[in-house]
Amino acid sequence: MDAQQALARFQAKDGTGTWEVFTWGIAVNGERYHFTRQSHIVCAGLPGRTERRVYQTEEKDDGFGAMAALAVYQETGSLSDAGLAAWALGGSSISTHVDTREIPGNVTLSIGHLRVGRSRGHSLRYREDGRWVQVDAIQHFADATLAAIRAYRAGAL
């Protein structure tokens, strides 16, 4: 871009290319947008996440254990064997279920009141939606941009 080192950068997923911030302004895929005293930035983001919900269901006793105990008692005459059959085959059953949901995230970046050549009032907007959004990289870019805008204003007064 130029001999000056970029303060921050990120690679856009929407095809607009590399976004870079310098002390003088923003470069998007090589196109320059200069700061003005009215330049401002807004950035908001929320990363995507995975939600897991674990729950258990208990199914009602179907009576099979009692029928099995009766059959074992009739065959063997042993109450202890009948009790064992009732315990092994009877009672309610408990199942564990896991539901997983992918919650998409999003990040929005808006930079306003930029200058291209002599033309003022240009804005840049970028948005990402999905499970794997670049929240940290874009927030770092926004923080560096805000610092550069403040420094520009201090020098332009």
Side-chain angles (χ1 to χ4, degrees):
M1 166 90 310
D2 62 44
Q4 186 182 15
Q5 181 75 18
L7 303 172
R9 70 172 46 94
F10 74 93
Q11 186 66 37
K13 292 183 179 179
D14 66 355
T16 56
T18 302
W19 288 53
E20 299 173 298
V21 60
F22 297 90
T23 56
W24 49 263
I26 307 291
V28 178
N29 212 28
E31 189 171 345
R32 294 176 176 225
Y33 297 85
H34 295 269
F35 293 134
T36 66
R37 283 184 286 168
Q38 293 80 31
S39 292
H40 63 272
I41 183 165
V42 176
C43 181
L46 185 66
R49 65 190 189 281
T50 301
E51 278 187 359
R52 286 185 182 83
R53 187 178 77 130
V54 179
Y55 62 96
Q56 293 182 328
T57 56
E58 183 174 356
E59 295 175 13
K60 190 175 170 183
D61 186 356
D62 58 8
F64 186 70
M67 292 187 324
L70 181 60
V72 167
Y73 181 71
Q74 288 174 342
E75 278 296 315
T76 65
S78 167
L79 285 175
S80 62
D81 289 345
L84 184 60
W87 173 80
L89 300 173
S92 57
S93 62
I94 297 175
S95 352
T96 301
H97 306 277
V98 178
D99 286 342
T100 303
R101 274 187 353 166
E102 297 291 327
I103 308 296
N106 66 59
V107 62
T108 304
L109 176 67
S110 179
I111 308 165
H113 288 282
L114 300 169
R115 179 179 56 80
V116 176
R118 292 182 178 251
S119 175
R120 295 180 177 272
H122 291 271
S123 295
L124 293 171
R125 287 179 178 72
Y126 179 73
R127 179 180 176 103
E128 268 185 31
D129 294 296
R131 174 65 178 94
W132 305 107
V133 293
Q134 306 177 73
V135 174
D136 292 338
I138 295 172
Q139 185 61 57
H140 174 71
F141 180 87
D143 292 342
T145 301
L146 180 59
I149 289 171
R150 287 180 175 158
Y152 178 86
R153 286 180 188 157
L157 297 177

